[in-house]
Amino acid sequence: MHTFTSFDGTTLAYHTWGEPGGERPAVVLHHGFSSSALGNWHVPGVVDALVAAGRRVVAIDARGHGSSEKHTEPDRYGEDKMARDLGVLVDLLGLDRYDLAGYSMGGIVALLTASGDHRVRRLVTGGIGASVVEQGGLDRAALPGKELIEGLLTDDPSTITDERVLGFRMFAEATGADRRALAAQARASHRAPIGLDRITVPALVLAGTDDWLARRPEVLAAGLPDARWKVLAGDHLTVVRNPEFAAAIVSFLG
């Protein structure tokens, strides 16, 4: 694990695998809400599959997540700030070309990054769908923000009545996440149009068959100038462990 200081003084962690300097560019990964670089990408086998294919891999722990600094003020969060963090890291590593993959919250970050960074060669998103086009971010109807924030902050999880919110609360507890930091990010989540038309690089949109946060992935793919989409078995928390998920990323980026 390595650390760096981002644009606003926040200390962020990142991980690297594989050897630098290969013929193909590095792959940069951004994880989803309440997860981490290791939990989202390494444990499910995505990193190993990319390294086995000869790729160098870089994965960031987003602010408020993993081993990165955890603020509790909402104004220190938002996917737009996370995209700026990625830019600082890419600058630090001296990458003049890279492939980018993001999952869920990280998928929003990846789209924001790719819409303004000419260094992105290929793009993969997972865990997001039509809500990106229609709402500018994650599906607020599928996961209401107010209920999510309350569910993260309550001292008594037995009061949580929404099963989807309870799932995120249980996941946060299982991963040892800072629930106050997560609530701050939930308050700051992206809700503005994303310049999808500016993302002209080839893109792949992945979604689980039972992922209620990635409904109608074909709508997101249609909103991108050069994209394809694929649905794999799994829900929002399990599709990343489907071996076909890693295989699809490796094949597309190859």
Side-chain angles (χ1 to χ4, degrees):
M1 188 189 77
H2 315 274
T3 61
F4 70 101
T5 301
S6 195
F7 66 94
D8 63 349
T10 300
T11 301
L12 301 176
Y14 68 99
H15 307 258
T16 62
W17 298 268
E19 297 298 325
E23 293 183 1
R24 288 174 292 174
V27 181
V28 177
L29 305 174
H30 198 294
H31 63 79
F33 181 74
S34 80
S35 190
S36 65
L38 297 179
N40 201 147
W41 301 112
H42 188 258
V43 173
V46 177
V47 169
D48 286 346
L50 287 166
V51 172
R55 306 302 294 268
R56 183 190 184 197
V57 180
V58 178
I60 192 172
D61 278 347
R63 51 180 60 213
H65 295 72
S67 296
S68 290
E69 188 172 357
K70 298 171 179 65
H71 305 291
T72 57
E73 305 88 359
D75 63 1
R76 303 297 293 268
Y77 289 96
E79 288 88 338
D80 55 340
K81 291 183 174 62
M82 293 176 180
R84 290 184 67 183
D85 294 334
L86 266 190
V88 173
L89 177 57
V90 170
D91 289 344
L92 174 70
L93 297 174
L95 303 180
D96 57 8
R97 203 76 168 148
Y98 65 100
D99 291 337
L100 178 60
Y103 190 78
S104 191
M105 175 188 77
I108 305 299
V109 175
L111 289 168
L112 288 167
T113 300
S115 69
D117 191 346
H118 68 279
R119 295 171 294 184
V120 176
R121 185 192 73 128
R122 289 198 166 212
L123 171 70
V124 179
T125 69
I128 52 177
S131 65
V132 176
V133 177
E134 298 167 352
Q135 303 178 39
L138 296 179
D139 191 339
R140 295 188 295 280
L143 188 64
K146 181 176 181 291
E147 287 81 354
L148 176 61
I149 293 165
E150 292 174 349
L152 288 168
L153 294 178
T154 182
D155 292 328
D156 183 5
S158 68
T159 63
I160 302 173
T161 58
D162 189 311
E163 291 185 0
R164 297 163 297 184
V165 172
L166 181 60
F168 270 98
R169 169 61 183 257
M170 293 174 64
F171 184 72
E173 291 187 350
T175 58
D178 185 318
R179 293 186 285 109
R180 293 176 64 204
L182 295 182
Q185 164 58 24
R187 288 189 172 100
S189 61
H190 199 271
R191 294 183 175 89
I194 299 173
L196 301 178
D197 59 322
R198 298 196 300 270
I199 304 174
T200 58
V201 299
L204 172 65
V205 176
L206 297 174
T209 53
D210 301 313
D211 188 349
W212 39 271
L213 279 174
R215 292 171 177 150
R216 294 178 292 136
E218 67 275 11
V219 174
L220 174 55
L224 294 163
D226 183 10
R228 66 190 73 173
W229 59 281
K230 187 172 186 177
V231 175
L232 307 169
D235 59 27
H236 197 72
L237 297 179
T238 63
V239 70
V240 295
R241 300 198 296 268
N242 181 339
E244 294 182 13
F245 184 84
I249 294 175
V250 170
S251 175
F252 178 72
L253 296 182

